[in-house]
Amino acid sequence: MEQIRETTVQKEGGARVQKRGRKPLVIIGILLAVLLAAYLGLCAYAVNRPEIWKGTVVLGQDLSGLTVEEAAERLESTLPTAHISIYLYPDGEYPPKERPEAPDATVAVADLDIQVDLDQAAQDAYESPLYGANWWEAGWRYLTHQGMLYGISALITVDEGRAADLAETLAESLTQEPVDAAYQVTEEGISIQTARDGRAVSSLTLMQALSAPYWDGDLTLNIPYVLRPAQTLTAQEIYDECSGEVQNASYDAETDSIVPEQAGAEFDVEAAQAAMDAAEPGETVTIPAQVELPAVTAEELKSLLFRDVLGECTTRVGGTSARKSNVKLSAASINGYVMNSGDLFSYNEAVGQRTAARGYQAAPAYVQGETVDEIGGGICQTSSTLYLACLRSNLEITERYAHRYIPSYIAAGMDATVSWGGPDYKFTNNTDYPIKIVTSYENNYLTVQILGTNLTGVTAKITNEYLSTTPYETIYEDDPTLAPGTEQVKTTPYTGYKYRTYRNLYDADGNLISSSYEATSDYKARNQVILRGPAVEEPDTPVVGPGDVPETTDPGTSGETSVPGTSGETTDPGTSGETTPETPSTGQTPSGSGGSSGESAGQTDPEGGTPPLVVDLPPAA
């Protein structure tokens, strides 16, 4: 305490008296008394106040300054329209201190069908600030009170069935599947959708939170969710995917599904990445690009896939049962074969090696100009039928070889020979759409169809032009094992022919658009080889006298008999059954697809004229 100063007071008569100063003590005492009185008054007010303290919130309602009765009335009027706000946060993290402006979901309190004693809730809100405090503490609490959220969960009963139903509905609506980053190439550029992570919200967690209830203070709930990461894409990855070659929509035979198209685009990778980084999750941004769009999209292909028969061919299958079996087996191996735009077909690769283990049998075939039995004999009829079907489909022929000798089952110039390890037949799908090879074998007839999509109505018809003939020669070989004077055909002859083939295109109205050279087929001649036995020895003529000559007929006329194998007008064994076309085909009269050539004399192919018919064993590999 400040030291009391001494003062000097002069009285009448000149005497001086010293007196101590007491005024500061009085002031301090008065101040203390005032403060004490004020605090005591505050304590009395805090204890006996008529209204609820400031900042007291119950069921989301600020009840500051209201009496208990007024607070109960307000709660009763606002509760039917009150809503619980739900805020989500990642599981494992504490709820954020700063909530978003808008909640992720809201639930009407009325939908929970709750029961609550609002009068008691208002009374508890009035009394709650002084819980556990004595009279002297009441004033201090009032001074330091900053507001409070007052929970009344003990007074609230929630219908668990309603809570469970609401939780199930909320969980379904709040759960989000991840949105993977994706892009689409358009005429304007590249439209990129950025990735947005998904989330899974538990209905059980929601039900427990709604039932407890944890929401009664300020009508809010913090609910955790499980993160579901989305697949992201960088601008560089997008560039690597779409900056290459343009690809039409295609078909996946293994999954029986359509593979989406791929457009080509060139763009600034760094600028694209900057735009993607600045975008919100799930937002779509458009990047300028130089774009080349495919001709066929997946949406277009759905209704056009294998819609049309582009071309077909039917041939009659003859020969032994083994040969027929080989033709049927090889045709079955390419049935259903699918080629997308630009794909290359190889007959040898598609059919595979012809082996006994795979069911192929020994049948006549040409090997180095000779006719021998070989495993897989006859499969060239399948490749030839396929070749003509491809020509009629206006497909690009990549590799094709004519037979050494002209075959009898198809028109001249329209065959394709194959051999494992040797000649192959190849063609390319030069259309914009997938194509499918469909084969059928019935009643000794083989049919090959090419299914695809023909939007223009253009058709192809194949014609041939006869160029020249190469006759065969007859060669004799002595065979001492044969009977004297007899002959035997060792090798049947084939006449050689040369044909030129043309591809003729017609529009949908049947008008000729173009006629182009396709191929030249040079079929070789094969000489006839005849074996002959030793010459017949003439008997010795006896010496007779003039009187001994009998009266006989002329040995050169009457009674003459033919030497076996030499006399008489017989058919040349080297040409037996072989015919040459009376008038070589000029190829000027094309017909529709699906025609076939015969194996009997005189049968013609509608598009190929009359190929020279030879008595041969149809060639194979």
Side-chain angles (χ1 to χ4, degrees):
M1 181 178 293
E2 184 181 352
Q3 186 177 5
I4 300 176
R5 295 179 303 161
E6 291 185 354
T7 60
T8 303
V9 179
Q10 184 175 0
K11 292 185 175 182
E12 294 181 6
R16 293 180 178 272
V17 180
Q18 289 187 343
K19 187 177 182 181
R20 294 183 178 271
R22 299 184 179 275
K23 188 176 181 179
L25 292 174
V26 173
I27 294 175
I28 292 174
I30 294 173
L31 289 175
L32 289 175
V34 171
L35 290 174
L36 178 60
Y39 182 75
L40 292 174
L42 181 63
C43 291
Y45 175 79
V47 172
N48 299 294
R49 71 200 183 286
E51 72 280 344
I52 297 173
W53 285 15
K54 65 178 180 180
T56 302
V57 178
V58 177
L59 293 175
Q61 295 299 312
D62 186 356
L63 305 181
S64 303
L66 300 180
T67 65
V68 172
E69 292 76 13
E70 291 172 341
E73 292 176 358
R74 174 171 292 187
L75 292 176
E76 184 177 9
S77 64
T78 59
L79 190 59
T81 59
H83 285 76
I84 303 168
S85 297
I86 296 176
Y87 296 89
L88 302 178
Y89 68 95
D91 190 19
E93 300 181 12
Y94 288 103
K97 294 181 179 179
E98 295 185 3
R99 288 172 172 167
E101 293 183 2
D104 295 288
T106 60
V107 177
V109 174
D111 290 341
L112 289 172
D113 193 15
I114 69 171
Q115 301 295 325
V116 57
D117 187 345
L118 296 178
D119 292 334
Q120 185 62 49
Q123 183 64 39
D124 288 348
Y126 172 82
E127 297 175 354
S128 62
L130 294 179
Y131 284 161
N134 56 39
W135 192 89
W136 289 98
E137 293 176 352
W140 180 253
R141 286 196 179 185
Y142 189 83
L143 288 174
T144 59
H145 181 68
Q146 299 296 322
M148 62 175 292
L149 295 176
Y150 180 60
I152 60 170
S153 60
L155 303 177
I156 298 175
T157 301
V158 177
D159 185 285
E160 293 186 357
R162 297 296 301 273
D165 292 342
L166 285 172
E168 190 71 29
T169 303
L170 277 172
E172 184 176 350
S173 64
L174 292 174
T175 295
Q176 294 180 348
E177 294 298 324
V179 177
D180 295 336
Y183 68 91
Q184 182 180 10
V185 181
T186 65
E187 294 181 356
E188 292 75 21
I190 301 180
S191 179
I192 303 175
Q193 183 180 46
T194 58
R196 186 188 69 196
D197 293 334
R199 65 192 181 202
V201 179
S202 168
S203 61
L204 178 61
T205 301
L206 278 168
M207 185 190 71
Q208 292 172 342
L210 291 172
S211 300
Y214 298 109
W215 45 264
D216 66 321
D218 60 351
L219 292 180
T220 63
L221 281 176
N222 294 311
I223 302 297
Y225 65 86
V226 177
L227 184 67
R228 292 182 175 178
Q231 184 176 353
T232 61
L233 277 175
T234 65
Q236 185 63 53
E237 289 172 334
I238 296 175
Y239 181 83
D240 293 341
E241 288 183 5
C242 68
S243 63
E245 183 179 356
V246 178
Q247 294 181 358
N248 290 329
S250 58
Y251 176 74
D252 188 339
E254 293 185 1
T255 60
D256 188 25
S257 61
I258 293 176
V259 179
E261 71 280 4
Q262 177 176 311
E266 293 289 335
F267 60 91
D268 188 326
V269 176
E270 292 185 0
Q273 188 62 57
M276 293 169 63
D277 293 341
E280 294 293 329
E283 183 181 354
T284 299
V285 295
T286 300
I287 307 300
Q290 295 180 350
V291 177
E292 183 180 359
L293 297 177
V296 181
T297 66
E299 187 65 27
E300 295 170 338
L301 188 57
K302 288 180 182 179
S303 60
L304 299 175
L305 185 65
F306 310 134
R307 186 191 68 178
D308 305 313
V309 178
L310 303 183
E312 63 181 322
C313 178
T314 299
T315 58
R316 180 177 179 274
V317 183
T320 65
S321 61
R323 181 183 183 277
K324 294 177 180 179
S325 175
N326 292 338
V327 173
K328 185 176 181 179
L329 185 59
S330 59
S333 66
I334 62 172
N335 184 42
Y337 192 97
V338 174
M339 299 172 61
N340 286 304
S341 179
D343 285 354
L344 175 68
F345 174 90
S346 166
Y347 186 85
N348 281 337
E349 290 181 6
V351 175
Q353 188 172 3
R354 281 68 80 177
T355 63
R358 298 183 61 223
Y360 288 95
Q361 303 177 38
Y366 291 137
V367 177
Q368 296 181 350
E370 299 295 329
T371 304
V372 298
D373 280 346
E374 186 178 70
I375 296 294
I379 65 160
C380 282
Q381 182 158 351
T382 303
S383 60
S384 297
T385 309
L386 173 63
Y387 171 56
L388 185 49
C390 290
L391 290 175
R392 289 168 171 165
S393 302
N394 197 28
L395 296 175
E396 177 185 340
I397 308 304
T398 308
E399 182 178 341
R400 172 262 176 183
Y401 302 94
H403 284 82
R404 181 179 181 87
Y405 307 121
I406 193 167
S408 59
Y409 51 76
I410 204 163
M414 302 179 192
D415 59 302
T417 186
V418 293
S419 176
W420 186 257
D424 195 4
Y425 168 59
K426 299 179 181 179
F427 69 94
T428 301
N429 178 11
N430 57 333
T431 74
D432 292 332
Y433 298 87
I435 61 174
K436 179 191 291 187
I437 301 172
V438 178
T439 66
S440 61
Y441 184 93
E442 187 176 359
N443 297 328
N444 294 329
Y445 280 91
L446 171 64
T447 298
V448 177
Q449 289 183 321
I450 306 295
L451 304 184
T453 304
N454 185 350
L455 299 181
T456 64
V458 172
T459 57
K461 298 179 180 179
I462 313 303
T463 58
N464 63 7
E465 178 185 7
Y466 167 82
L467 298 179
S468 62
T469 298
T470 303
Y472 66 87
E473 298 178 359
T474 300
I475 300 174
Y476 291 91
E477 294 181 358
D478 293 332
D479 187 348
T481 63
L482 295 180
T486 61
E487 294 181 352
Q488 179 179 322
V489 177
K490 176 182 179 182
T491 303
T492 55
Y494 301 139
T495 301
Y497 295 93
K498 196 170 187 177
Y499 278 85
R500 185 178 291 135
T501 311
Y502 296 91
R503 184 186 305 213
N504 309 282
L505 300 183
Y506 295 81
D507 63 20
D509 297 326
N511 300 314
L512 181 65
I513 301 174
S514 64
S515 181
S516 58
Y517 165 79
E518 184 64 32
T520 297
S521 301
D522 190 359
Y523 304 102
K524 307 302 180 185
R526 186 168 78 174
N527 291 332
Q528 177 179 234
V529 178
I530 298 178
L531 302 178
R532 58 187 176 186
V536 178
E537 295 183 2
E538 296 291 337
D540 295 337
T541 302
V543 178
V544 294
D548 296 331
V549 178
E551 292 291 333
T552 60
T553 59
D554 186 345
T557 55
S558 65
E560 182 176 6
T561 59
S562 300
V563 177
T566 59
S567 63
E569 294 295 330
T570 60
T571 303
D572 186 342
T575 59
S576 176
E578 181 176 15
T579 60
T580 302
E582 296 178 1
T583 303
S585 171
T586 61
Q588 301 305 310
T589 311
S591 65
S593 64
S596 63
S597 60
E599 288 189 306
S600 59
Q603 188 170 355
T604 63
D605 182 274
E607 290 181 0
T610 306
L613 185 64
V614 293
V615 179
D616 65 338
L617 297 169

